[in-house]
Amino acid sequence: MIPLKKKEMEIKETTFKVIVKTNAGESKLVCYDAGKQAYKIELNAKPIEGEANKELIKFLSRLLKKQVRIVSGLRNRQKKIVLL
């Protein structure tokens, strides 16, 4: 895993994978897992009735200053994201 510093927290791909950990203290981008080729993200939301998915979309939209959509993994920890 590659830890990310504040100035390195830029995702440059238009389609990328994330691994989500829910019920965290705050929503944050933790690191990039080179083995799984996915960004690890902690979310301050519960995985109930899509709350974590909504928080993920909101978090990534703020971080990247672009609209995002989950294209696969709505019920999994591993998700595929596309920038719109």
Side-chain angles (χ1 to χ4, degrees), residues 19-70:
I19 300 171
V20 175
K21 180 184 178 218
T22 57
N23 295 324
E26 64 177 334
S27 296
K28 62 182 177 180
L29 180 60
V30 179
C31 64
Y32 179 76
D33 188 333
K36 295 182 181 178
Q37 296 183 344
Y39 293 91
K40 291 198 172 189
I41 297 176
E42 293 182 355
L43 295 175
N44 183 15
K46 297 180 182 186
I48 300 171
E49 296 182 9
E51 285 182 38
N53 290 332
K54 290 175 192 170
E55 176 64 22
L56 177 63
I57 290 169
K58 193 164 77 173
F59 172 73
L60 288 173
S61 294
R62 275 184 300 193
L63 180 72
L64 303 172
K65 295 177 178 64
K66 295 183 179 180
Q67 289 185 334
V68 299
R69 184 173 57 176
I70 300 171

Side-chain angles (χ1 to χ4, degrees), residues 1-11 28-32 39 63:
M1 285 188 272
I2 303 169
L4 299 172
K5 297 176 184 160
K6 290 218 179 212
K7 58 184 170 182
E8 295 175 337
M9 289 191 175
E10 293 183 21
I11 299 171
K28 62 182 177 180
L29 180 60
V30 179
C31 64
Y32 179 76
Y39 293 91
L63 180 72

